[in-house]
Amino acid sequence: MSKWRQWLEDRFGWLPFKRSFLDRRVGKTPWYYGDGSTLLLLLGVLVMTGPFLSLGYAPTPDQAYQSILDITRQPLGWFVRALHYWAAGLMVVMLFFHLLRQIWVGGYKFPREGTWLIGVAMFFIVLTMSLLGYSLRWDERAVYGIKVALYHFAQVPLIGNALTLFVQGGPELGVRTLTRFYAAHVAFGPLALLALAGFHLYLVVVHGVTSRSEQDRPIHTTQEQKELHHAIKQHPEQSEPFFPDAMAKSGAMALTIFGVVVALALILRNRPLYPEANLVLASEPAEEWWWSWYSALIALLPPNVATWFYWVFPLTLFVVLVALPFADRSPYRGYRKRPIAAAVVVIAAIALVSLTALRQLSPWGGWPNAEPPPVPAGFELAPEVEEGRLLFAQYGCTSCHQVAGWGPPRVGTDLARMEERYSAQELRHYILRPPDGVAMPPYEGRMSESELRRIVAFVLVAQTFPRSEEGP
Amino acid sequence: MTRREMLKRMLQLGGAAVAAIVGLPALILSLAPLRGQRQAVWRKIGNLSAFPVGGVQKSSVPLPHPDWAEALIDQGVYVWRPNPSEVVVYSRSCTDLGCPLNWDPGGEVFLCPCHGGIFAKDGERMAGPPKHPMLRYQTRIREGQLEIDLRSVPPEA
């Protein structure tokens, strides 16, 4: 060792770290074990971009929204915002991947329970951060996101009211809500995540990852696992140096995902803001896309389930995840001898993807609309039918019904796409008294006989409108 | 007890004391919002005669806020006057998850834009995940003015 290197080594003590961390041998793993490194890199992107965004952010309701517009106008402000946003979204995706993969390979099994429990804590903190983050934008989507979160807390028995006041910072949504969310997002959350991530990584170094060799045979005790783990590290074929072999593999995955973040940031750029936060204007709020699966899930809940689901579901998820390594004591790791675990992972993955897709096509709800539906080319409406078309809009039918693909999908059936065509008499009856279980108001007593006749005349014609996918 | 054990015990106690002196006041500070929320906060909505009988109208009320706040200080509500002697003021929050309900004057229903909740004019649930009817504020008439108690609905509404 040269004189200079010796001097540096004596003062900065690099060698013990290099020997025990970088030069250590680890069990061989497939490329997708790089999901952990990916999460670490994404956390790094968030921790790097966050403070720079906070240079320009004003956490008060009077200025928060304007200050974000201001950040966006600064040189490359949009790009730093975009990196933060897309890194956050992909972090949630990778987090689910990482969690499901650990269940898939049995990564929570002895002696890695501690690693798992810290991971579970980080899972819930990251999900919380992913809501806190977009609340700070202080647009309409932010305030209603906060309200949805508060409604969850409010459902908790006995302490629901206190929890709501605690999270909201008072009896109204306002300045104290924003300061709380800000503090949680920029101070409490990152501090907790960095500390827990450090601990998590330390335990990964201590216990190693669930390598392929561990999945080949049953392991009955912690002692047995430790001996096997030690043997794998000594084995020339089953192990490899952490640096650079293992790190290059996981780094490749991390850099690929980082590339996706940069590409999304460049192509789709920063998240556009919705109108500034208010509790007065009509608004059609929606969650950010990484929460879509959950939104679709709750839209499908029957009323009797919904109210308790909001606190039972997160709590159950937490309890199940915490209890998992203590409940599953089978000697097998990997998916081959663990059909239940494999099934749970596959079902969860399919559910997450399909619920997300369902949400994007969501036809739930209605929106006040008094604009008459357009008449397709080639249709000449009789005077009575034309009057019916105007009455159709006047009575709010267009708020919920598409007509031949016109308007966004809503809760009501598209009148040109009804499964069966109704007769005039059936339509009259349906409009006056919709059958039980149909989300349509009864018009009995609200419409004159002639109005009803005209609306029915229009609906009869509308049923024959061309069913083009693009609409007229 | 040996000297070394004594030292260990003192270090533990010292650490716990520092944690308590710093942590407990910080915790109490964070719990401040839980105090004293019970007293009524009455707010004028408008002249009762401004709300036509049989109709539903949107209105907004000022929220209590610190002197220095300027934004997010109003909240929308819906006023329904079923008959001359009765008036109902609804919270705009859907009872499912608090999304802002829209009054549809044509269909005479309240539509939730989030997960398909629909309420009738009288606030009863018609469709979607909501379980409870729409929340109603306590009302009173003072010198012809319609007033509501903001604290008569839960804090999340």
Side-chain angles (χ1 to χ4, degrees):
Chain A
M1 196 182 285
S2 78
K3 203 176 148 194
W4 279 109
R5 287 191 62 155
Q6 186 63 51
W7 188 91
L8 283 171
E9 171 53 32
D10 287 343
R11 270 125 197 107
F12 293 97
W14 159 256
L15 272 181
F17 171 77
K18 180 177 179 298
R19 282 199 201 105
S20 56
F21 182 70
L22 293 181
D23 293 345
R24 78 191 204 277
R25 291 187 73 82
V26 295
K28 279 190 183 168
T29 53
W31 63 270
Y32 55 80
Y33 274 47
D35 53 353
S37 306
T38 309
L39 284 168
L40 187 65
L41 181 63
L42 293 175
L43 180 64
V45 172
L46 292 166
V47 168
M48 280 304 292
T49 48
F52 285 92
L53 291 172
S54 76
L55 287 177
Y57 183 70
T60 92
D62 292 351
Q63 281 120 15
Y65 185 81
Q66 291 302 330
S67 73
I68 291 187
L69 292 179
D70 189 56
I71 293 170
T72 318
R73 282 192 295 265
Q74 304 302 317
L76 290 179
W78 65 271
F79 185 64
V80 180
R81 273 193 62 206
L83 278 183
H84 197 78
Y85 173 84
W86 290 108
L90 286 188
M91 189 171 188
V92 175
V93 176
M94 291 310 299
L95 188 64
F96 276 100
F97 181 89
H98 191 58
L99 179 93
L100 291 178
R101 181 177 72 75
Q102 295 305 337
I103 299 174
W104 182 260
V105 301
Y108 51 79
K109 296 208 159 192
F110 51 85
R112 299 192 178 95
E113 294 95 327
T115 325
W116 169 262
L117 290 178
I118 291 164
V120 170
M122 286 197 286
F123 175 76
F124 283 94
I125 294 174
V126 169
L127 286 185
T128 307
M129 291 286 280
S130 79
L131 176 74
L132 292 172
Y134 73 85
S135 304
L136 300 187
R137 291 199 309 238
W138 213 242
D139 54 8
E140 285 180 352
R141 189 175 267 206
V143 284
Y144 293 112
I146 294 172
K147 277 218 177 248
V148 167
L150 291 171
Y151 265 68
H152 279 74
F153 288 113
Q155 304 294 342
V156 180
L158 304 176
I159 54 165
N161 192 58
L163 271 178
T164 311
L165 291 169
F166 177 74
V167 175
Q168 188 166 238
E172 284 89 23
L173 207 157
V175 58
R176 290 181 181 111
T177 318
L178 180 52
T179 52
R180 282 188 166 237
F181 275 56
Y182 177 71
H185 189 73
V186 307
F188 293 95
L191 283 176
L193 274 181
L194 287 175
L196 290 171
F199 200 178
H200 193 72
L201 286 178
Y202 163 73
L203 289 174
V204 171
V205 173
V206 170
H207 296 304
V209 294
T210 313
S211 62
R212 273 179 177 154
S213 315
E214 270 182 70
Q215 301 172 30
D216 296 341
R217 69 208 82 178
I219 305 164
H220 296 273
T221 62
T222 299
Q223 193 53 38
E224 211 178 307
Q225 194 279 341
K226 280 184 173 169
E227 280 158 17
L228 176 65
H229 184 58
H230 192 69
I232 292 167
K233 285 201 287 189
Q234 311 298 327
H235 198 282
E237 265 135 52
Q238 291 178 0
S239 73
E240 59 192 358
F242 174 70
F243 180 81
D245 301 43
M247 213 166 156
K249 254 189 296 180
S250 53
M253 183 176 183
L255 283 176
T256 306
I257 301 291
F258 177 71
V260 174
V261 169
V262 174
L264 286 167
L266 288 172
I267 298 164
L268 298 176
R269 299 175 67 112
N270 57 285
R271 198 80 180 85
L273 297 186
Y274 292 82
E276 186 169 358
N278 68 81
L279 295 169
V280 178
L281 300 176
S283 175
E284 191 164 15
E287 66 293 328
E288 284 295 345
W289 54 269
W290 52 82
W291 281 108
S292 293
W293 61 276
Y294 184 68
S295 189
L297 186 61
I298 55 186
L300 300 173
L301 295 177
N304 293 332
V305 179
T307 42
W308 59 261
F309 179 88
Y310 297 140
W311 65 274
V312 169
F313 176 71
L315 188 66
T316 308
L317 189 62
F318 182 73
V319 171
V320 166
L321 290 179
V322 166
L324 187 57
F326 308 102
D328 176 11
R329 305 298 294 177
S330 84
Y332 300 105
R333 290 154 209 245
Y335 64 95
R336 287 190 185 85
K337 298 248 172 139
R338 297 167 62 243
I340 299 174
V344 166
V345 170
V346 170
I347 291 168
I350 292 173
L352 285 170
V353 172
S354 44
L355 283 170
T356 301
L358 182 65
R359 173 60 175 155
Q360 307 313 318
L361 312 164
S362 74
W364 306 305
W367 184 262
N369 179 10
E371 199 186 331
V375 180
F379 274 81
E380 195 70 45
L381 300 190
E384 190 183 60
V385 178
E386 171 59 20
E387 285 161 28
R389 183 175 78 97
L390 303 180
L391 285 164
F392 184 80
Q394 193 185 314
Y395 274 102
C397 308
T398 40
S399 305
C400 295
H401 288 285
Q402 279 188 312
V403 178
W406 175 76
R410 299 288 185 201
V411 61
T413 320
D414 187 329
L415 293 179
R417 287 196 182 86
M418 289 200 290
E419 281 172 23
E420 46 177 328
R421 289 193 178 164
Y422 288 87
S423 69
Q425 195 52 39
E426 284 166 333
L427 280 173
R428 283 176 64 93
H429 199 73
Y430 203 105
I431 293 169
L432 293 178
R433 288 180 179 208
D436 286 343
V438 171
M440 178 169 149
Y443 283 88
E444 196 163 40
R446 287 195 54 207
M447 258 174 209
S448 73
E449 178 55 36
S450 71
E451 284 177 328
L452 180 61
R453 197 177 65 241
R454 286 170 168 80
I455 287 178
V456 166
F458 170 70
V459 174
L460 281 173
V461 175
Q463 288 185 102
T464 67
F465 281 176
R467 305 178 185 195
S468 77
E469 284 306 315
E470 296 79 32
Chain B
M1 193 181 278
T2 65
R3 182 175 164 277
R4 190 153 287 159
E5 275 171 9
M6 183 74 179
L7 279 175
K8 277 188 197 167
R9 191 64 50 84
M10 281 169 66
L11 277 172
Q12 287 162 351
L13 280 174
V18 172
I21 291 168
V22 176
L24 286 179
L27 184 71
I28 289 167
L29 172 64
S30 76
L31 294 175
L34 272 60
R35 286 169 51 243
Q37 312 298 346
R38 291 283 147 254
Q39 69 279 34
V41 175
W42 289 97
R43 284 282 186 275
K44 279 195 185 89
I45 292 198
N47 208 316
L48 185 62
S49 54
F51 300 102
V53 174
V56 171
Q57 214 165 310
K58 194 168 162 182
S59 194
S60 76
V61 283
L63 294 170
H65 55 83
D67 297 339
W68 35 273
E70 289 168 19
L72 207 79
I73 50 178
D74 290 314
Q75 177 156 331
V77 295
Y78 284 110
V79 183
W80 174 44
R81 232 181 138 188
N83 56 60
S85 61
E86 201 185 333
V87 64
V88 174
V89 181
Y90 291 117
S91 159
R92 208 168 66 110
S93 299
C94 177
T95 55
D96 182 34
L97 286 174
C99 284
L101 294 168
N102 290 307
W103 169 247
D104 186 296
E108 297 209 328
V109 284
F110 292 97
L111 300 169
C112 179
C114 288
H115 302 114
I118 302 179
F119 298 87
K121 203 178 193 177
D122 61 2
E124 289 301 315
R125 174 208 179 255
M126 289 175 64
K131 185 183 183 185
H132 305 290
M134 287 167 68
L135 291 166
R136 297 174 176 210
Y137 288 94
Q138 291 279 338
T139 57
R140 71 180 185 195
I141 312 290
R142 285 286 159 94
E143 294 160 357
Q145 295 285 318
L146 172 60
E147 297 184 4
I148 60 169
D149 173 13
L150 288 178
R151 299 282 155 82
S152 58
V153 299
E156 69 274 12

